[in-house]
Amino acid sequence: MLGKPQGILFDLDGTLLDTARDLGNALNWVLRYHNQPTCEYEVYRNIASDGSQGLLEIGFGDRLLDYDIDTLKAQFLARYEQQICVDTVSFEGVVTLINGLNKADIPWGIVTNKPQWLTELLLPNFTEFDACKVVISGDTLAKRKPHPLPLTHAAEIIEVAPQDIWYIGDAKRDIDAAKAANMTSVVANYGYIGPEHQSHRWNADLYIDHPQILLQHL
């Protein structure tokens, strides 16, 4: 039996925001620049949480060995910065969930592996996140997920004990980080998860198919 959360922390890409199309657009721009075949949405969607490295690997495949990965990453990030919020939207139900947390006076925040400069460019486009109590990005601290430090640091800022916090994410590193931080782990099944990820093996405390399901636990 899960206790009521006193605080909630979220992953960003694939959990609060559906950023896959803008990330995929940046990937396809890089592929076209290098005269390579582009990648379909169905192929890159479930890789979107893995950042530039994962996207470039799925896009270039074996051809990636013919390029300098750091150059490709720089090109990808530059293009993504230019077009960071063209097709990005919050997942259905996220606004209702956030409103419910605010109404219940439950502090919440974001812990993402996205670089800070990109996180800071993206979040202001979504007024539903104005009440966010803390944002920890992938380069805010010396460690990032799956290390628990970003989660425990966020817990200190919102002044809630880790054992009273739920962490919601759509990748195994999110669940591993939550467990290591002694937080309740929740899998966002609606995010960038495919059968190949075998999320049922992550041994999370809770699996949800829609953000609003969390409201039933408040």
Side-chain angles (χ1 to χ4, degrees), residues 26-27 30-31 47 51-61 64 69-74 76:
L27 170 65
V30 175
L31 289 167
I47 307 298
S52 58
Q53 179 78 34
L55 286 162
L56 290 167
E57 287 176 357
I58 199 72
F60 280 84
L64 189 61
I69 186 64
D70 290 333
T71 298
L72 294 179
K73 283 183 178 180
F76 172 90

Side-chain angles (χ1 to χ4, degrees), residues 5 13 43 51 63 79 82 104 119 143 154 160 168 178 181 200 204 212:
D13 299 68
V43 174
R63 304 182 302 276
R79 181 62 179 180
Q82 294 169 3
T119 304
K143 301 288 186 180
V160 178
I168 297 91
H200 62 282
Q212 288 179 226

Side-chain angles (χ1 to χ4, degrees), residues 40-214:
E40 295 295 328
Y41 172 78
E42 291 75 17
V43 174
Y44 67 69
R45 181 190 187 275
N46 289 342
I47 307 298
S49 285
D50 293 340
S52 58
Q53 179 78 34
L55 286 162
L56 290 167
E57 287 176 357
I58 199 72
F60 280 84
D62 293 339
R63 304 182 302 276
L64 189 61
L65 297 174
D66 298 330
Y67 296 89
D68 178 69
I69 186 64
D70 290 333
T71 298
L72 294 179
K73 283 183 178 180
Q75 292 171 340
F76 172 90
L77 291 172
R79 181 62 179 180
Y80 181 55
E81 177 186 9
Q82 294 169 3
Q83 305 285 332
I84 196 167
C85 196
V86 176
D87 295 319
T88 292
V89 296
S90 58
F91 281 100
E92 180 186 2
V94 163
V95 173
T96 301
L97 169 58
I98 295 301
N99 288 339
L101 294 177
N102 294 338
K103 185 176 180 180
D105 200 27
I106 295 176
W108 62 274
I110 296 169
V111 180
T112 175
N113 275 2
K114 204 179 196 75
Q116 183 174 345
W117 60 283
L118 291 175
T119 304
E120 291 177 348
L121 278 176
L122 183 58
L123 289 181
N125 293 282
F126 299 89
T127 57
E128 57 263 39
F129 300 151
D130 287 351
C132 181
K133 300 298 185 185
V134 59
V135 178
I136 305 294
S137 296
D139 50 357
T140 302
L141 303 169
K143 301 288 186 180
R144 64 179 194 164
K145 299 176 299 182
H147 197 281
L149 178 61
L151 274 67
T152 55
H153 185 65
E156 292 175 3
I157 293 174
I158 66 173
E159 298 181 323
V160 178
Q163 63 267 25
D164 295 324
I165 294 176
W166 290 20
Y167 184 68
I168 297 91
D170 69 313
K172 186 176 184 294
R173 63 180 164 272
D174 299 323
I175 305 309
D176 290 344
K179 290 178 180 178
N182 196 29
M183 295 180 183
T184 296
S185 57
V186 183
V187 175
N189 270 337
Y190 57 86
Y192 305 142
I193 298 175
E196 68 275 15
H197 293 112
Q198 297 188 317
S199 61
H200 62 282
R201 296 181 180 271
W202 298 351
N203 297 317
D205 296 304
L206 183 67
Y207 292 75
I208 60 171
D209 294 325
H210 195 279
Q212 288 179 226
I213 293 175
L214 285 177

